[in-house]
Amino acid sequence: MKKILLGLLLAVSVWAEPTLHQIIRSYVGDAKYETQKNLINVLFAAEEGFVKSDGRVDNIKVIEVLQKNGLMRLLYEKPVHLKLAFRTQHEPLIFLKIINETLELMGYNYFLTNNALRDQAGFVWEIYLQTEHILDPVAFANALGARGCSITRIIKNSDHYWFYDIDSHNAHLGVKALEFGVNTHLGKPLKPYWVDIKGAKEVVITAHVSDQWFPDVVFFDEKLNVLSDTKSDESAKNLKLKVPERAVYLKISDTVMLENIKRGLSLHVKGK
C-alpha cells in the first residue's frame, strides 16, 4: 500500500504544475494565506521574478521571501512525526550518502527509512523522524548546493510531509583531494576516512607504530559503485594498493573498530 500511495504522489508531482499562489497557499496554510493576502500580494507582485527559465516556480526563492517576512514557520508546537521524501533521476548511491550527510550536518542525526523505491519517475527515499523543527528548505538547498545538487521542486503534502525533487546530476562528495607525493597524516578518525583520489596511481597507507590496524579499504567510482574492496583480519602497519581505473573516492577504516587507529593513519598518494 505504501508503494501504491507513493506512486500516486509521484504521478501527481510529475504532471501537476501549480501556480505561484497555489504554492504559497500550500506553504503557509489556508488560514494564514487568507489573513495575510494583502501582504502576500505585495511581496509577490512581480510574479515573473519567481519563475525559472523552464517555466516552473522557484520554490526556494518563494520560501526565502516567506521566511524573511514571518509568513512561514519552521517550528512545531510540540514534537511530531515528520515525513520527508527525496527524489532523484540520477544514481542513488551517491545521492543517498549526500542526503544522509546533509541531514546530519543540519542536526538530524536520527531518522528511519519509511520507503525506498526506484521506478520510471526516479529513485525516492522516504524517511520519518521525531522533531519539533521543520527541515529548513533554504538551508537544505544551500548545503546540497555545496555538493553539486540542486532542489528543483518542493511539495508540501501536509504539515508533516514534505517532498523534495533534487537534481543530483553533478553530485560529488565533500571530501578533499590530497597532494600527490606527500605523506599526509589523517588525524584521529571519528568516522571512516574519505579521500578524493581521482588521478592517483597508487596509495600507501601507514598505521601509527602504537596502533593495531586491521585494514578495511574500499575504492569507489564517481557514482559510488565499489571498484575494489580490501579487508584483513590480520593487523598491518603498511598497505600499498594500486588505484583501480575510474576510481574517484577512497574510504579507509578498520575492520574491527576505529579505536584501533585512534592515533590516525598516514596516507601517501602517487599520481599517474
Side-chain angles (χ1 to χ4, degrees):
M1 176 61 74
K2 288 181 180 178
K3 289 188 177 181
I4 293 173
L5 291 175
L6 189 53
L8 290 174
L9 166 66
L10 297 185
V12 171
S13 67
V14 166
W15 297 112
E17 287 297 339
T19 66
L20 172 62
H21 279 267
Q22 286 174 333
I23 290 174
I24 294 170
R25 181 187 287 271
S26 73
Y27 289 160
V28 304
D30 291 334
K32 181 169 287 187
Y33 182 86
E34 293 300 330
T35 58
Q36 301 294 336
K37 185 178 289 186
N38 290 336
L39 175 58
I40 289 171
N41 286 336
V42 171
L43 294 174
F44 297 93
E47 291 194 16
E48 65 279 2
F50 297 91
V51 178
K52 296 182 288 187
S53 58
D54 62 3
R56 292 182 178 179
V57 173
D58 189 331
N59 299 132
I60 295 298
K61 198 169 183 180
V62 169
I63 291 172
E64 194 167 17
V65 171
L66 293 174
Q67 286 181 358
K68 286 182 178 179
N69 289 276
L71 294 172
M72 186 171 166
R73 64 187 179 93
L74 295 178
L75 186 67
Y76 295 111
E77 294 179 356
K78 59 182 180 179
V80 301
H81 286 289
L82 177 63
K83 187 182 292 184
L84 301 171
F86 311 99
R87 177 172 64 183
T88 182
Q89 295 182 10
H90 302 286
E91 292 300 319
L93 293 176
I94 191 167
F95 174 76
L96 283 170
K97 183 168 178 58
I98 288 174
I99 297 297
N100 249 301
E101 292 181 347
T102 303
L103 289 173
E104 288 183 7
L105 184 66
M106 298 180 67
Y108 298 93
N109 297 300
Y110 305 102
F111 45 81
L112 295 174
T113 294
N114 185 55
N115 213 338
L117 64 89
R118 189 171 191 174
D119 61 15
Q120 69 277 7
F123 173 80
V124 179
W125 183 40
E126 189 181 69
I127 65 171
Y128 62 87
L129 57 156
Q130 185 85 2
T131 182
E132 293 182 5
H133 300 273
I134 298 172
L135 178 66
D136 185 336
V138 176
F140 187 49
N142 291 336
L144 288 177
R147 303 293 183 87
C149 300
S150 61
I151 296 173
T152 58
R153 188 195 325 239
I154 303 174
I155 300 172
K156 182 184 177 184
N157 289 296
S158 71
D159 282 344
H160 302 157
Y161 188 11
W162 292 74
F163 183 93
Y164 288 82
D165 255 327
I166 299 171
D167 181 357
S168 59
H169 176 69
N170 296 314
H172 58 81
L173 300 185
V175 297
K176 294 183 178 180
L178 301 184
E179 184 179 352
F180 291 168
V182 176
N183 199 49
T184 303
H185 182 64
L186 300 178
K188 180 179 179 178
L190 300 178
K191 294 181 178 181
Y193 302 109
W194 280 84
V195 181
D196 184 331
I197 45 85
K198 188 175 184 179
K201 178 182 179 181
E202 182 182 89
V203 297
V204 179
I205 308 166
T206 305
H208 190 278
V209 65
S210 299
D211 283 344
Q212 193 172 32
W213 177 43
F214 297 87
D216 180 2
V217 182
V218 187
F219 290 96
F220 300 86
D221 67 10
E222 64 178 355
K223 297 175 182 178
L224 283 197
N225 295 302
V226 174
L227 298 177
S228 72
D229 186 358
T230 301
K231 295 181 184 292
S232 176
D233 55 6
E234 295 183 0
S235 63
K237 292 302 179 186
N238 293 279
L239 182 64
K240 180 187 291 187
L241 295 170
K242 289 186 179 298
V243 177
E245 290 292 329
R246 300 183 294 106
V248 174
Y249 301 109
L250 168 65
K251 185 182 78 168
I252 309 171
S253 188
D254 185 275
T255 302
V256 181
M257 58 181 177
L258 291 176
E259 184 66 18
N260 286 336
I261 49 174
K262 61 184 178 181
R263 295 171 182 83
L265 298 174
S266 294
L267 178 62
H268 183 94
V269 182
K270 183 183 294 186
K272 294 180 179 178

